[in-house]
Amino acid sequence: AQTVTQSQPEMSVQEAETVTLSCTYDTSENNYYLFWYKQPPSRQMILVIRQEAYKQQNATENRFSVNFQKAAKSFSLKISDSQLGDTAMYFCAFMKRGTNFGNEKLTFGTGTRLTIIP
Amino acid sequence: DGGITQSPKYLFRKEGQNVTLSCEQNLNHDAMYWYRQDPGQGLRLIYYSQIVNDFQKGDIAEGYSVSREKKESFPLTVTSAQKNPTAFYLCASSIRDRFYGYTFGSGTRLTVV
């Protein structure tokens, strides 16, 4: 079974600064996908960014980028020029790619609560 | 606009009563999922369904039941056998190529008193 670990329960950063959220995972699979989801106070889960394990290039979405280190099984999220609207819980998630749908489910970490300070 | 609708947003029930949480999607997604969220534990998978009339247990299915009679609907029943039902429940769906991630509903907060 896959496990996802987020070792930072809470973080805070000043507005406009850069912050990095950590995520590590444990798997014996070679073909998989990694995701970062954001859950603001409204509790709506929003997909932030997605990485395919077979791609070496790190994914980027505007101010959000990842540092994907496959050998180290690390998948950190960097938020640049942080904004007040970035205040949220952030969840790292893993999905194995296989031929059996039953094995291809999102497994989530425990989350990091990020607060952007004005 | 397409999306996933969960209702109600807040639900209160007395201990020992069964309760059903609604999840409806108009995204024409094939797969649907139920997750439970507790503080400090992230999201844990309860049940999932790939197609109509078929569903499988997730990691914490005990005390829960589901049905998938229509593609658009995937209701979750929290039975009296669930020992600690108070939690936030999230429904999600995905297209057949689910590797693009899931679309989530806005959740239902269930409180059992």
Side-chain angles (χ1 to χ4, degrees), chain A residues 51-71:
Chain A
Q51 175 79 40
E52 300 171 34
Y54 61 87
K55 289 189 176 179
Q56 291 186 336
Q57 185 173 3
N58 289 323
T60 299
E61 289 287 343
N62 300 315
R63 297 182 296 108
F64 298 87
S65 61
V66 298
N67 183 3
F68 174 48
Q69 301 289 330
K70 190 172 184 179

Side-chain angles (χ1 to χ4, degrees), chain A residues 25 29-32 53-55 68-74:
Chain A
Y25 56 94
E29 302 295 327
N30 191 52
N31 201 359
Y32 52 86
Y54 61 87
K55 289 189 176 179
F68 174 48
Q69 301 289 330
K70 190 172 184 179
K73 297 180 183 176
S74 171

